[in-house]
Amino acid sequence: LPANGYLLAKLMPLSEFDVIERYFNVAGAQRDDVVLGIGDDAALLRVPADRALAVAIDTLLEDRHFLSGSDAFDIGYKSLAVNLSDLAAIGAEPAWATLSLSLPSADGHWLQAFADGFFSLARRFNVQLVGGDTTRGPLSVTVQVHGFVEPDRALRRSGAQPGDKVYVTGSLGDAACALHQLQAGHAGDPLLVERLNRPVPRVHVGRALTRQAHAAIDISDGLLADLNHIARASRCGATLWVDRLPRSTAFAASCDPEWVLPMQLSGGDDYELCFCVDPERAERLPALAAEAGVTFTEVGVMEKKPGIRCRHDDGSIYSPRSGGFDHFA
Ligand SMILES: [Mg+2]
């Protein structure tokens, strides 16, 4: 044994986790506004003079936010995706990310797959990982993202006005339907499972909406809850036309009819955007949707009266189940 053998042995648990840095040194995008990235005590970053810094953070816990035994690539991807979705919702352009990872053990295969998932999305949206931390503990992933937005154009929740048309991007219910299938022990429809595990944050739509929308939010908790966040912040209410909620072909084909509306209204994990637009500006939306390659569907209208009212197209009231559809209950 070398003279320092005892010291090395004592340091082993620490050095094992130091090795983890190797998996994250690829950093994703390389950005000019990063003065100093990973490897020092702190990162040094440059924010454009005319922009506000937009910051969002989210923690993903095993069994709470993803199923135990989920693919490490998907966990890495989704931990960044849900954060980029928050930046999209405020209309910010993503720039940097930091990562805090708690792991029961330093498993090389798991880490490589996690990093592959994380960086596949980081490269796609020009995000550079500029710092991180790893500890031993129950599996938990915290990602913080930073982006830029014109301060007077940010899409706040509080900007909606009575008379605004309410839109959603893409389709609703896919992720909840996939989770339901997986929890029932089925393989799950591949298209729906893809929507659950690898949601595409609507970053480009969010940026474009900074010139068009009064308010926006990303749909993480379900349309009903998230539109209610806008309504409360804007001190108004809304009517939702539940028969018009956009359904994907895969969802329509495999969702039990009884669960269609609960999953679309309260399923969560969709990471689409819900936004409110002055009717006079609505005519510009089709071109914007075509440019972004995403569908926009008008699903309701903001009103003075507080609360969210759900109606069928024939005018009858739809009463959502109390408590909604809590997919991790
Ligand atoms: Mg959000």
Side-chain angles (χ1 to χ4, degrees), residues 85-86 89 157 217-218 220:
S85 178
D86 278 328
R157 295 179 180 184
I217 194 167
D218 65 318
S220 52

Side-chain angles (χ1 to χ4, degrees), residues 27-31 33 76-89 92-97 116-129 145-148 198-208 271 273 292 294:
Q30 296 293 328
R31 297 178 56 98
D33 49 18
Y77 178 105
K78 194 165 178 178
S79 66
L80 181 58
V82 299
N83 277 284
L84 293 182
S85 178
D86 278 328
L87 286 187
E93 172 195 343
W96 315 304
D116 287 347
F118 185 93
F119 289 119
S120 70
L121 196 62
R123 277 187 292 269
R124 183 168 168 186
F125 287 101
N126 196 27
V127 170
Q128 182 166 348
L129 183 71
V145 287
H146 312 73
F148 315 134
R198 301 185 193 174
V200 179
R202 302 301 188 191
V203 170
H204 301 301
V205 176
R207 287 297 296 149
Y271 300 103
L273 294 184
V294 181

Side-chain angles (χ1 to χ4, degrees), residues 3-329:
N4 61 354
Y6 172 71
L7 187 61
L8 278 176
K10 262 185 76 172
L11 290 175
M12 272 305 276
L14 179 66
S15 62
E16 175 198 8
F17 271 71
D18 277 350
V19 166
I20 289 173
E21 281 182 17
R22 194 172 48 144
Y23 297 95
F24 297 102
N25 271 341
V26 283
Q30 296 293 328
R31 297 178 56 98
D32 292 342
D33 49 18
V34 176
V35 181
L36 189 59
I38 290 181
D40 213 306
D41 295 304
L44 296 176
L45 310 165
R46 254 190 216 107
V47 182
D50 56 344
R51 304 286 188 92
L53 180 66
V55 181
I57 187 167
D58 238 316
T59 296
L60 266 61
L61 291 177
E62 189 170 29
D63 287 327
R64 178 97 189 254
H65 302 102
F66 55 87
L67 295 170
S68 176
S70 286
D71 186 71
F73 184 102
D74 292 337
I75 298 171
Y77 178 105
K78 194 165 178 178
S79 66
L80 181 58
V82 299
N83 277 284
L84 293 182
S85 178
D86 278 328
L87 286 187
I90 206 155
E93 172 195 343
W96 315 304
T98 51
L99 166 70
S100 177
L101 196 53
S102 163
L103 290 170
S105 65
D107 173 341
H109 291 292
W110 193 96
L111 280 161
Q112 189 59 60
F114 176 92
D116 287 347
F118 185 93
F119 289 119
S120 70
L121 196 62
R123 277 187 292 269
R124 183 168 168 186
F125 287 101
N126 196 27
V127 170
Q128 182 166 348
L129 183 71
V130 294
D133 181 36
T134 48
T135 50
R136 187 192 295 275
L139 181 54
S140 161
V141 187
T142 298
V143 173
Q144 185 171 44
V145 287
H146 312 73
F148 315 134
V149 64
E150 301 81 355
D152 54 342
R153 286 207 169 136
L155 298 168
R156 298 161 192 239
R157 295 179 180 184
S158 58
Q161 294 170 14
D164 281 356
K165 296 177 176 221
V166 180
Y167 291 83
V168 295
T169 60
S171 57
L172 300 179
D174 295 351
C177 188
L179 188 63
H180 187 73
Q181 292 173 341
L182 295 176
Q183 284 182 322
H186 306 300
D189 180 288
L191 286 173
L192 299 179
V193 172
E194 171 96 6
R195 294 265 294 155
L196 171 68
N197 291 332
R198 301 185 193 174
V200 179
R202 302 301 188 191
V203 170
H204 301 301
V205 176
R207 287 297 296 149
L209 287 175
T210 57
R211 290 159 200 279
Q212 307 298 336
H214 279 159
I217 194 167
D218 65 318
I219 304 174
S220 52
D221 300 335
L223 176 61
L224 207 51
D226 289 316
L227 180 59
N228 197 39
H229 290 314
I230 288 184
R232 292 175 72 117
S234 301
R235 298 171 186 278
C236 54
T239 286
L240 266 182
W241 298 303
V242 295
D243 298 329
R244 302 182 199 177
L245 303 181
R247 301 172 191 178
S248 71
T249 311
F251 177 80
S254 61
C255 186
D256 183 334
E258 183 194 356
W259 285 106
V260 164
L261 287 181
M263 284 181 175
Q264 291 202 287
L265 286 167
S266 310
D269 255 9
D270 291 312
Y271 300 103
E272 297 291 353
L273 294 184
C274 170
F275 57 95
C276 304
V277 177
D278 188 311
E280 288 187 3
R281 290 194 158 252
E283 64 190 35
R284 304 176 196 207
L285 293 178
L288 205 154
E291 206 172 292
V294 181
T295 57
F296 295 171
T297 307
E298 186 183 346
V299 296
V301 62
M302 300 305 292
E303 296 163 338
K304 270 193 188 137
K305 187 181 168 191
I308 310 292
R309 292 155 290 282
C310 294
R311 284 188 186 277
H312 290 289
D313 276 350
D314 65 6
S316 63
I317 300 278
Y318 170 77
S319 300
R321 301 172 188 215
S322 62
F325 179 79
D326 185 354
H327 57 243
F328 272 103

